[in-house]
Amino acid sequence: MKKVRFGKTGLMVSRIAFGGIPIMRISKADAVKVVREAIDLGINFIDTAHVYADSEEKIGEAIKGMRREDLVIASKSPADDKAAFNKDLDLSLERLGVDYIDIYQLHNIASEAKRKAIFGPGGAFEGLQEAVKSGKVRWPAFSSHSIPLAIEIMKGGEFAVVQIPFNYIDNAAEKDIIPLAKELDMGFIAMKPMGGGLLDNAGLSFRYLLRYDNIIPDPGIERIEEIREIAGIVEREEALTEEDSKTIEKLRSEFGPSWCHRCDYCQPCPQGIFISAVLTTKSTIKRLTRDRVKSMVGPAVEKARTCLECGDCMTRCPYHLEIPKLLKEGVAYWDAQMGA
Ligand code: SF4
Ligand code: SF4
C-alpha cells in the first residue's frame, strides 16, 4: 500500500491506519489474525488507546517478533495529571510489548477544564514532554472532538499530530483544521471515518476522505473482510464520483440538524445529563460490546430520563439540536435495543 509522509514526524505511514477499538469485542486469536491481515495488506500504522480494554494487549500479541521499525504505533492516555499519565504510558508500553511508542496522544481534550488540568503544573502534558525526552514517546499528539479547542491547541505548536472526527457527515474539520494542519505540517488522523459505525458505505467514506492528501483515515476494524474491502478501495485510488457527491448531499440532509457532534458545548446540564453520550447511543451500541455499552452509556441513559425539558442546553448547542426531543429518542432506542 502507498505510504505518505506524516507531517513533521517525517514518518512514512500507510494511506490508512488500523483503528483498535473494535478488536476489544473479539477473541485474542481473532484480533491477532485481523491485525496481521492489516499488516500483510501494507498497513503499517496502528492506532489504539489505553482505555480500549485489551486492545493494546491484543495488538502487542499480533506484532510480536515483527521488526519494530516497520511499524508506526499510536496510543493514547486520558490522564489529566502527570502521575496518572506516566502510569498509563508505562502500561501501554508493557501491553504493546514495545520500548517506545511513535505517537502518544493526550486522549480527548474535550473541555476547557480538562485542557487547564493537562497543561497546568503537574499536568499530563509535562509527563508527555518528559516521555519524549526519555525516548518512550517519539511524537507528542492529542485528540479532541472540539474544533475550537483543537484549533487553539494546534496553534500552541507543541504537538506533531492531531486526531479529530472527520467524515462526510461530521465534516466540521474541513474548514479550519485540515488547512491548519497543513500549514503547521502536523499529521492529521481522521477519527470515525465511517461515523463510528453509522455510515455503512465504505466506498463512499474513503473516496470522500482520500481526496485530502494530508489526512490518514483511522477506521476501526473488527473483521478481515472489512479491512480487505477498505484496503482495496485505497489501493485502487478510487475517485469520488458525481453520483457519490449527490449521495453525500442527500445523506447530509437526512442526518441534517440531528447530528450530534459530541462537542459538549451544551454542558452543563442542571440534571447532570451526559447529553452527547445519549444522543450518540445508536453508534455506541453498534460499535461496542453489550457489557461495555451498558457500563459506558447505561448511567447516562438513566439520567436522561430525568430531563426537565428546561431547554438550557439548546441555547448552547452550536448545531441548534432539539436536545430534549433527541434525548427522548435516544432513551427509546436504548429501551428497544437493550431492554428498559
Ligand atoms: S433540557 Fe434536559 S438536558 Fe437540557 S439542560 Fe435542561 S434538563 Fe438538561
Ligand atoms: S447536543 Fe449539540 S452541543 Fe451538545 S454535544 Fe451534541 S452537538 Fe455538541
Side-chain angles (χ1 to χ4, degrees):
M1 181 177 293
K2 190 171 157 188
K3 303 220 169 27
V4 290
R5 176 183 168 274
F6 196 46
K8 66 177 86 169
T9 70
L11 295 162
M12 293 303 288
V13 297
S14 44
R15 201 61 191 81
I16 50 166
F18 176 97
I21 292 185
I23 56 168
M24 286 192 288
R25 57 185 171 222
I26 58 176
S27 71
K28 194 171 196 172
D30 287 344
V32 166
K33 275 188 209 152
V34 79
V35 173
R36 288 189 182 157
E37 177 70 17
I39 295 170
D40 285 348
L41 288 165
I43 296 168
N44 70 342
F45 189 6
I46 298 172
D47 180 47
T48 180
H50 183 81
V51 293
Y52 299 163
D54 56 3
S55 171
E56 288 181 325
E57 220 175 294
K58 286 168 171 165
I59 290 166
E61 182 66 29
I63 63 172
K64 218 178 246 174
M66 294 185 187
R67 275 164 37 112
R68 178 66 187 85
E69 58 272 32
D70 290 343
L71 299 167
V72 174
I73 296 176
S75 193
K76 317 178 187 77
S77 159
D80 287 348
D81 66 75
K82 185 166 136 183
F85 173 88
N86 288 339
K87 220 170 134 201
D88 285 356
L89 173 60
D90 286 341
L91 192 54
S92 289
L93 289 163
E94 188 191 320
R95 285 166 166 175
L96 287 160
V98 295
D99 51 17
Y100 69 92
I101 291 174
D102 298 276
I103 295 161
Y104 207 61
Q105 300 151 79
L106 297 173
H107 198 169
N108 194 16
I109 307 182
S111 64
E112 199 45 53
K114 184 163 173 88
R115 180 183 166 200
K116 273 195 185 135
I118 283 175
F119 289 97
F125 182 62
E126 272 183 25
L128 182 57
Q129 283 179 308
E130 286 171 18
V132 172
K133 268 193 203 129
S134 71
K136 286 183 180 178
V137 169
R138 291 273 158 92
W139 295 100
F142 75 98
S143 70
S144 179
H145 288 80
S146 163
I147 301 286
L149 256 182
I151 290 174
E152 271 185 52
I153 297 170
M154 286 167 79
K155 284 182 175 166
E158 281 110 347
F159 295 94
V161 174
V162 57
Q163 176 158 189
I164 298 276
F166 183 46
N167 56 64
Y168 60 80
I169 298 291
D170 198 353
N171 64 337
E174 198 163 28
K175 188 169 162 273
D176 297 315
I177 300 261
I178 293 178
L180 184 61
K182 200 158 204 168
E183 186 190 320
L184 299 171
D185 198 21
M186 289 178 74
F188 180 104
I189 303 174
M191 187 199 302
K192 304 188 197 318
M194 297 182 68
L198 275 191
L199 314 174
D200 48 15
N201 184 335
L204 194 56
S205 295
F206 290 92
R207 287 194 291 276
Y208 174 81
L209 292 170
L210 293 170
R211 294 173 309 143
Y212 299 89
D213 60 0
N214 67 326
I215 69 159
I216 302 295
D218 186 20
I221 300 295
E222 179 174 358
R223 290 179 298 113
I224 284 180
E225 305 77 64
E226 285 169 350
I227 192 60
R228 283 187 186 153
E229 182 189 5
I230 296 169
I233 296 161
V234 177
E235 291 286 11
R236 290 190 295 276
E237 299 190 8
E238 291 181 15
L240 196 77
T241 63
E242 236 174 77
E243 196 54 38
D244 287 337
S245 302
K246 281 186 197 150
T247 309
I248 288 173
E249 280 315 310
K250 186 170 163 278
L251 289 169
R252 276 184 186 157
S253 64
E254 275 172 28
F255 276 93
S258 304
W259 174 260
C260 174
H261 292 240
R262 304 186 216 209
C263 57
D264 292 327
Y265 290 137
C266 45
Q267 295 296 346
C269 156
Q271 294 294 89
I273 297 170
F274 187 4
I275 296 166
S276 58
V278 181
L279 264 46
T280 53
T281 304
K282 207 170 183 177
S283 112
T284 314
I285 288 177
K286 274 196 177 182
R287 282 188 300 126
L288 303 180
T289 60
R290 209 175 158 82
D291 283 351
R292 192 140 176 85
V293 170
K294 274 202 164 162
S295 65
M296 273 177 66
V297 189
V301 171
E302 288 319 305
K303 275 259 174 190
R305 297 184 201 275
T306 69
C307 173
L308 305 168
E309 303 191 22
C310 66
D312 267 14
C313 50
M314 287 171 63
T315 63
R316 292 184 287 268
C317 174
Y319 305 99
H320 313 293
L321 300 191
E322 282 188 66
I323 296 172
K325 179 174 157 262
L326 294 170
L327 282 175
K328 274 192 192 155
E329 287 174 13
V331 170
Y333 185 80
W334 175 273
D335 289 347
Q337 299 294 317
M338 309 290 288

